[in-house]
Structures are given as structure tokens and as C-alpha cells.
Amino acid sequence: MNRPRIIAATVLFALLGALVPIASVAYATWSRATDAEHDRLQVTAERTLLRAHRAYETGLVALRRLNQSTLPPCSPEHLQLMRSLTLGTRSAEQIGYFEDGRLRCTSWGMMDNHVPEPTPDHITADGAGITLDVHPIAGDGTALIAVKLDRYDILMDPERFVDVITDPNVRLAVASPDGRLIAQQAILDQQLLQRLLREPHSGMDGHTLYATAQDQEWLAIATAPRTDLIASFRQQFRQFIPLGVLGALAAVGGVVWLSRRRLSLPAELATAVRRREFFMHYQPIIELDTGICIGAESLVRWARPDGTQARPDLFIPLAEEHGLIDALTDQVIERVIEDMRDLLVQDRSVHIAINLSASDVSSGRALKVLTRQLAGTDIHPQQIWLEATERGFIDVQRARNTLAVARRAGHCVAIDDFGVGYSSLQYLQQLPLDALKIDKSFIDAIGTDSATSPVTSHIIDMAKTLGLSIVAEGIETPAQLAYLQARQVDFGQGWLFSRPLPPDAFIAFHHQRLQQYGKAPENMQNPNNAVED
Ligand code: C2E
Ligand code: CA
Ligand code: CA
């Protein structure tokens, strides 16, 4: 990524980084406040329901007692009993005694038989009839509720049904189960009330939060204005916003830190090239049918001054982009020769593969450096293999020249990461190659039912037809190894055998393999000598 792009991405991610924590805190606070407000209303609705039920129950107790009474109807003792029960029942206004469908007497005295029995709007599970909007003759015009059981009814003040102490702004209503309003404590929004009477549920609309609670006899409704919720949200948001700001600062700081690192990476890389901060690791390459380690692939490592290691697939493209790759390749070649000279001179069967970058392939310059560096070392050119990926073959003509020169000089040339690009086949035929490295993705596919899996077998066949040696990359499991051995693939590398190793560890690994497998190839089936990077 170039500088303007990195800066644009930084600004974008910094904005996102700032927004996301604050938006998350706002969202979490809103949900919390809404949940708390809903819970509060739900509890209030349930308390109201309980209150309505208690008021009804006390009436019922009085009615049951009267129905059991054996006093002569409307006798002074009977009237006295009705009166004392009216006074002793909190929400009762009057008790009436009926005979033949007419009110004969009430707690206040005899009646002249004109008042008919009320028609109940609703029969409760206890068998009591409930009639709403009853206006007694002696009343003050307030509509009362009549609860009638057998021969008696009790008139009750509906206000008692919603007699609950609540938070300010909360409004309550109680209705019969068929949706007839019995009482409300302060007037509720009529549209909302009608909606809830028709279809009781809890929720929130543009202005109001509401909750309902219901049993067989009663429906209780509690509402509160949204302004309460917003006030509670604001208060909590003020409390939690420092967390959001901290998160935002951390995110923005992280983004800026990462992008500064990214922006300073080319400069850091240039310094690293100047200070020669690179060194090599060597990943053993194994001859699959003997188990012997026949060489290694050299892999560059960069130890940054801050103690971290950057990945080569990150800094190699960066070095190419910023014109540092030539100097880097020179150091790689120097390092490889310095590290491996003794081993290569002692054991002519060993080779070391060097990775060439795209520009190394197209310019051919690295080859001249290599030839110069090898001069006088007694290393045979055959002992240095060169690996090139398709990215280096974009200018096929120049690539062909470089590879031809390399082969003439005695080096073995391998196409790296084979199968990953689009036009691999075309290169296979046009370029002077000795070996083909099957990319790890095809090795990973072995034994799986992925779409890639059958391709591995075709690549092996193709390489054989073209007379190329095959190196399988990234072997991690004995099953992959068994498959490759069965398909007579020549060489392999991967964590199953060993991770990339520092020079001394690689030399030790090579000697140990030679001792172990040098004379007894059949031991090969159990390669459990993997050494950590
Ligand atoms: P590559 O040439 O394909 O190298 C193989 C990569 O696969 C290495 O990663 C190696 O550590 C890793 N590897 C090997 N066996 C296994 C395995 O069993 N499992 C897994 N998961 N990984 C395995 P590394 O060292 O990070 O190198 C990455 C790439 O950087 C190389 O890919 C190569 O393209 C480039 N590179 C490395 N060294 C050099 C160099 O000296 N010069 C140039 N031009 N490029 C280099
Ligand atoms: Ca390679
Ligand atoms: Ca590779």
C-alpha cells in the first residue's frame, strides 16, 4: 500500500475506531435503561393486578359469609350484619340482598322491591357476577362495581382497584378480561388504552412505555412517558461515556500506532538493509524415499531493533516496492554462502535453495552477484538451487534468459508456489526448469474432499511428464507424506520434518538424518524428528 492509501485508511479506521466504542456505549446504555424502565413498569402492572385481585377477594369473603348466614332475611340482625360487613370491607360501599330477582334490602335499610338484579358483564371463576358502571340510588353519582354471589351483591369503589403507590408520571388502569375499563389512576392516552384493552402486551411507542399484567379476572395496565426513559438514559450515558471515550482513544491510538509503523516500515527497512539486520533460516528438504536430508531452502529473517520479527512475505514486497530488493538479495546470497560454505564443501550431495524475487528474475542481476560470490568458495554451482515464483515470469522473455543463464552456470532452477497463479501451465512449457515446488495449499488438500484435492495428483503427473523433479511444500501430517511417497514424489519439506532452523541447528539436523536414514531407508515411515523453529 502506498503512502496516501495508508493515510486514507488510517483516517477511515481512526474514525471508525472512535465511533464504534462511543456508539456501543450509547447502545448498551439505551438497552440497559429501556430494560430497567420496562422491568419497573412490569412490576407496577403486576402490583396493580394484585391490588385489584385483593379488592375483589375481600368483597368475595364478605359475600360468602352472608350467603352462609341463617339470619331471617332483612331482619334487624341481618341488616346489622350487612352493615358491619360493609364497614369492615375496605373497598365496599354497600351490600344488597336479592330475592326473586329484586333488591329487597341493603346494608342501609329496606328497599321497595323496584331495583332489579343487575345483569353481570362477566362471570368470574368463583362463580361471581361482575357488573360495571352501577349507579346506586343512594349514591353520589360515582359509577361502582357490583360483585354478586348467590343472593347478595357488594358495590365497590373501582378507585380501590388501582389504589397503588407508584413513581410519579406512571399511570395505571384496571380492566375486565373482556377489555372493559374499570378504573384508571390518572387519564391514560385513549388510543393506546384502547389498543391495550383489545390486545394486551408490553412495549413502547413514540411517546409512551407500557406494560400489562393479566389473570383470569383482571387486566392491569401501567404506562410511563418516554421522557422518563430518556432522562434515565441521559443520566446513565453521562456515567458510562468515559468508558466509551477511553475505548475510542485506545482504538484511535492503536490505529495511529499501526499506521505509523506501516508508514515508517520502508524507512526502517532501508535502515535494516544498511545495518545488515537480516539473517537466514534453513528449512530441511527431505528425499522422500530415503528420509535423508538432501538440502534446505534458505528463508530470510529480519530481527527488528524492537525485538519483533517481520514476516518475509510482508517485507519482501515492500523491499521490491521501495527499490531495496537488490541490496537485500545481495545480503541473502552473502549470508547463505557464509553460513553453508563448510557444509556444502564437505558434502557435495547437499544443496541450498535461494528464493529469487520477481525483479531478481527479470533483471538477472542476482545471478551475476551469485557467480561473483561463489568464486573461490569451492562451492559447486550445482549445490545452489534457485526458486522463482510466477510473479517473476511476467516478462517471459527476460525470465527465460535469466533462467537459461542460471542453468548454464550449473544451478538447478525450480518454479515456486506452483499452481497458485493462473497461467502456470504456460510457464511450465516455455521456461527452462529443473524442478517444480507444489504449493502448500495442494498438500493441505490431500485426503480432504476439497475441490483442490484431485488437482494435486494432476500436478504430480504433469511434472513427471515434463521430466521435472518435484518438491512438495508444507507437509504437516504423516498421511500427506504417505500419499506423496505412494505417488513417488521426489522431495518434500514441511513442519512434519522440521521448521526452518538457524544454520547450526540445520547442520546438526542434516547430520542426524544422515546417521538415522543414511543406511536404512525403510526407517523413513516414522519421521518424528521435527525440530522447532
Ligand atoms: P515460500 O518460498 O513459499 O516459503 C515457504 C514458506 O512456508 C516459509 O514461510 C516457510 O516457513 C513456510 N512453511 C514451510 N513449511 C511449512 C509447513 O509445514 N506449514 C506451514 N504453515 N508453513 C510452512 P516464510 O519463511 O514466512 O516465507 C514466506 C515467503 O517469503 C516465502 O514463501 C518466500 O516467498 C518469501 N521469502 C522468504 N525468504 C526469502 C528470500 O530470501 N528472498 C526472497 N526473495 N523471498 C523470500
Ligand atoms: Ca520458496
Ligand atoms: Ca513456496
Side-chain angles (χ1 to χ4, degrees):
M1 238 198 298
N2 57 23
R3 204 179 170 84
R5 276 207 186 153
I6 294 176
I7 293 171
T10 307
V11 171
L12 186 75
F13 283 116
L15 276 177
L16 271 178
L19 273 179
V20 169
I22 290 178
S24 308
V25 165
Y27 176 76
T29 310
W30 177 256
S31 310
R32 219 176 106 106
T34 315
D35 287 352
E37 197 72 354
H38 268 302
D39 289 351
R40 178 173 78 111
L41 273 185
Q42 194 61 46
V43 168
T44 309
E46 270 151 25
R47 272 173 49 209
T48 310
L49 183 70
L50 196 66
R51 179 77 200 92
H53 203 79
R54 289 234 173 99
Y56 159 75
E57 283 282 335
T58 52
L60 212 57
V61 168
L63 291 173
R64 284 198 183 114
R65 247 196 89 186
L66 283 163
N67 277 309
Q68 282 162 5
S69 155
T70 51
L71 293 171
C74 301
S75 62
E77 297 80 13
H78 183 228
L79 294 182
Q80 178 56 39
L81 177 63
M82 289 203 288
R83 199 168 305 131
S84 65
L85 282 172
T86 304
L87 293 171
T89 305
R90 216 174 135 236
S91 37
E93 299 285 319
Q94 172 184 307
I95 291 177
Y97 171 73
F98 291 85
E99 232 175 56
D100 303 326
R102 299 266 149 193
L103 183 63
R104 272 215 40 212
C105 53
T106 74
S107 35
W108 311 124
M110 291 303 294
M111 296 300 291
D112 50 12
N113 260 2
H114 287 327
V115 180
E117 213 179 281
T119 323
D121 295 314
H122 164 64
I123 307 285
T124 70
D126 309 294
I130 308 276
T131 314
L132 306 180
D133 285 330
V134 176
H135 294 270
I137 298 164
D140 57 3
T142 320
L144 299 177
I145 298 174
V147 180
K148 182 161 184 298
L149 191 67
D150 293 343
R151 289 164 292 148
Y152 294 86
D153 81 351
I154 183 162
L155 299 186
M156 303 172 93
D157 180 359
E159 291 295 315
R160 298 283 184 203
F161 283 62
V162 284
D163 200 5
V164 175
I165 298 173
T166 61
D167 296 333
N169 293 336
V170 172
R171 298 181 174 190
L172 304 174
V174 168
S176 64
D178 57 350
R180 292 165 55 126
L181 183 66
I182 294 172
Q184 48 186 333
Q185 192 199 60
I187 306 294
L188 267 71
D189 173 75
Q190 282 308 301
Q191 273 186 353
L192 175 64
L193 180 64
Q194 292 311 320
R195 220 170 57 229
L196 294 178
L197 289 177
R198 272 196 310 275
E199 198 190 318
H201 64 285
S202 300
M204 170 162 63
D205 65 15
H207 305 286
T208 317
L209 276 89
Y210 46 86
T212 59
Q214 209 173 0
D215 66 6
Q216 275 185 325
E217 262 57 80
W218 315 104
L219 163 68
I221 298 171
T223 73
R226 255 174 82 118
T227 45
D228 278 14
L229 168 62
I230 289 164
S232 136
F233 163 72
R234 283 215 182 106
Q235 189 215 339
Q236 292 189 37
F237 189 59
R238 267 196 296 276
Q239 212 173 322
F240 289 113
I241 190 63
L243 271 183
V245 171
L246 264 181
L249 284 177
V252 172
V255 169
V256 170
W257 181 77
L258 274 177
S259 84
R260 282 185 57 165
R261 249 177 95 98
R262 195 83 173 79
L263 281 173
S264 65
L265 207 56
E268 218 186 302
L269 192 61
T271 313
V273 170
R274 227 179 24 252
R275 293 196 190 149
R276 306 176 70 82
E277 283 172 5
F278 302 94
F279 60 95
M280 305 307 290
H281 274 181
Y282 298 87
Q283 185 172 37
I285 300 178
I286 307 294
E287 189 172 53
L288 295 186
D289 71 343
T290 62
I292 299 173
C293 165
I294 49 106
E297 174 180 3
S298 65
L299 294 161
V300 68
R301 298 288 178 258
W302 173 21
R304 299 171 75 178
D306 64 4
T308 60
Q309 276 205 15
R311 295 159 49 106
D313 35 14
L314 178 78
F315 69 78
I316 297 280
L318 206 66
E320 288 179 317
E321 215 176 288
H322 291 83
L324 296 164
I325 191 67
D326 286 354
L328 185 59
T329 304
D330 289 359
Q331 282 181 39
V332 166
I333 294 171
E334 272 172 48
R335 280 283 197 166
V336 169
I337 291 175
E338 198 179 304
D339 291 342
M340 290 297 136
R341 180 178 177 174
D342 291 350
L343 176 70
L344 292 170
V345 170
Q346 272 165 26
D347 188 341
R348 295 298 179 186
S349 68
V350 175
H351 79 261
I352 300 293
I354 294 177
N355 286 288
L356 294 181
S357 74
S359 74
D360 293 331
V361 175
S362 87
S363 73
R365 199 199 61 93
L367 218 56
K368 293 185 194 119
V369 177
L370 179 61
T371 309
R372 212 170 42 238
Q373 295 280 341
L374 284 178
T377 60
D378 202 19
I379 296 171
H380 294 172
Q382 291 76 3
Q383 294 181 279
I384 303 294
W385 289 27
L386 298 171
E387 295 187 9
T389 62
E390 276 177 46
R391 289 201 304 122
F393 304 152
I394 292 168
D395 185 340
V396 185
Q397 192 51 49
R398 300 182 77 167
R400 196 186 291 137
N401 283 344
T402 305
L403 301 191
V405 172
R407 289 179 89 206
R408 269 204 300 280
H411 302 297
C412 190
V413 178
I415 180 167
D416 200 358
D417 301 342
F418 184 78
V420 180
Y422 292 107
S423 38
S424 305
L425 269 178
Q426 173 198 338
Y427 295 133
L428 269 190
Q429 283 171 338
Q430 290 185 13
L431 293 167
L433 294 165
D434 301 284
L436 178 153
K437 296 193 83 171
I438 307 177
D439 187 69
K440 181 176 186 304
S441 53
F442 296 101
I443 305 307
D444 287 342
I446 293 172
T448 66
D449 28 322
S450 79
T452 322
S453 166
V455 182
T456 316
S457 166
H458 291 307
I459 294 178
I460 296 170
D461 291 341
M462 215 158 49
K464 285 187 178 163
T465 312
L466 292 169
L468 299 176
S469 310
I470 308 170
V471 186
E473 285 189 309
I475 306 174
E476 289 182 351
T477 68
Q480 291 166 348
L481 170 63
Y483 173 91
L484 294 164
Q485 281 175 320
R487 298 298 324 264
Q488 275 146 8
V489 168
D490 311 294
F491 308 114
Q493 64 184 98
W495 295 353
L496 180 66
F497 305 111
S498 168
R499 299 218 175 193
L501 301 171
D504 291 348
F506 164 66
I507 292 167
F509 178 91
H510 168 72
H511 288 317
Q512 182 251 323
R513 286 301 274 212
L514 207 57
Q515 270 182 357
Q516 191 175 358
Y517 296 112
K519 291 176 197 79
E522 55 279 8
N523 295 350
M524 172 65 188
Q525 288 304 326
N526 185 20
N528 49 5
N529 311 302
V531 185
E532 290 295 301
D533 195 355

